[in-house]
Amino acid sequence: MSATGPRKLPIVVLISGSGSNLQAIIDAAQAGLPVEIRAVISNKAEAYGLERARQAGITTRVLNHKDYPDRESYDAALAAVIDDCGAELVVLAGFMRILSDGFVRRYEGRMLNIHPSLLPRHRGLDTHARALAAGDAVHGATVHFVSPELDAGPIILQARVPVQPNDSPESLAARVLREEHRIYPEAIRWFAEGRLKLDQGRALLDGKPISP
Ligand code: GRF
């Protein structure tokens, strides 16, 4: 530690929407999480998360996927922005894009995602409605390393929430989101402190495999 505190890990946060997880990360950084958010990048100009970033004085970039002929050229432009920022960790926080294999490999071991279910249950979209339809008694959220297969990367941290008999997808989503806002900054802290690694397809914390 120096006189100015521990080194801050340069990160970028990718969003498409509300950005409540982004807000949790901004709040945590202001409270001492050792990261510097170099940029918030959105594929949608209207994403409310961009406004959150602006209010926190963070650089914003919009890369509209409709401006690119195919996924590879979009992902190449995205990677150029990320690398220009000098980001050492890419944080997906509600970024609603399928990423090409090449992009995922480029950031292997340094790209995290949060997914609103207890993976491997309910990969993909509409997780809250699907948990209710399946009669799940417990639901939750998962932070994981990103791997080429969608929502299938090594699990880092999960939070479980009870499903209530009168839950709607919206009430369940709100309960899960509260937990997301707790576990995402925590997982980012582990990474920033050098405690969290991806090693041969396994997530390790302090050198030991994480078993959810
Ligand atoms: C969250 O539910 C997250 O798990 C999922 O997308 C949603 C993003 O919400 N990947 P927000 O934009 O952070 O509010």
Side-chain angles (χ1 to χ4, degrees):
M1 195 186 294
S2 71
T4 52
R7 173 184 182 269
K8 291 186 178 174
L9 183 81
I11 71 171
V12 290
V13 183
L14 274 54
I15 62 164
S16 300
S18 152
S20 69
N21 277 285
L22 165 67
Q23 188 68 57
I25 298 163
I26 292 172
D27 293 347
Q30 287 171 354
L33 177 71
V35 299
E36 179 191 340
I37 305 172
R38 293 268 172 97
V40 170
I41 306 170
S42 173
N43 64 320
K44 292 188 187 270
E46 69 277 15
Y48 180 63
L50 291 169
E51 182 56 30
R52 297 180 191 268
R54 282 183 212 113
Q55 282 174 14
I58 299 167
T59 301
T60 59
R61 291 290 303 266
V62 175
L63 281 183
N64 186 339
H65 50 274
K66 294 184 183 141
D67 295 339
Y68 296 82
D70 52 33
R71 193 172 299 283
E72 279 64 33
S73 56
Y74 181 80
D75 285 2
L78 190 56
V81 172
I82 292 168
D83 294 350
D84 262 5
C85 295
E88 293 176 27
L89 178 69
V90 178
V91 176
L92 306 180
F95 187 60
M96 301 302 283
R97 295 266 312 159
I98 305 268
L99 298 164
S100 61
D101 284 6
F103 184 91
V104 172
R105 272 195 298 274
R106 182 187 189 103
Y107 297 106
E108 193 176 14
R110 50 194 187 106
M111 181 156 59
L112 307 183
N113 183 41
I114 190 157
H115 181 79
S117 79
L118 290 172
L119 290 172
R121 240 177 130 61
H122 308 308
R123 292 175 182 165
L125 299 174
D126 300 325
T127 56
H128 310 300
R130 285 159 60 205
L132 290 175
D136 293 356
V138 178
H139 185 46
T142 304
V143 180
H144 63 94
F145 280 110
V146 178
S147 66
E149 196 185 338
L150 187 68
D151 299 330
I155 291 172
I156 297 166
L157 189 55
Q158 293 187 308
R160 304 164 80 81
V161 304
V163 179
Q164 311 288 5
N166 55 352
D167 262 329
S168 63
E170 293 72 27
S171 65
L172 188 52
R175 194 174 311 121
V176 170
L177 257 186
R178 277 197 294 279
E179 291 299 303
E180 294 186 34
H181 300 161
R182 183 177 63 77
I183 63 173
Y184 215 1
E186 177 158 17
I188 293 168
R189 175 182 295 279
W190 290 347
F191 191 91
E193 292 176 346
R195 299 176 59 198
L196 175 66
K197 308 261 185 230
L198 182 69
D199 180 60
Q200 298 179 12
R202 292 179 317 172
L204 303 184
L205 181 64
D206 299 329
K208 297 191 198 76
I210 295 173
S211 43

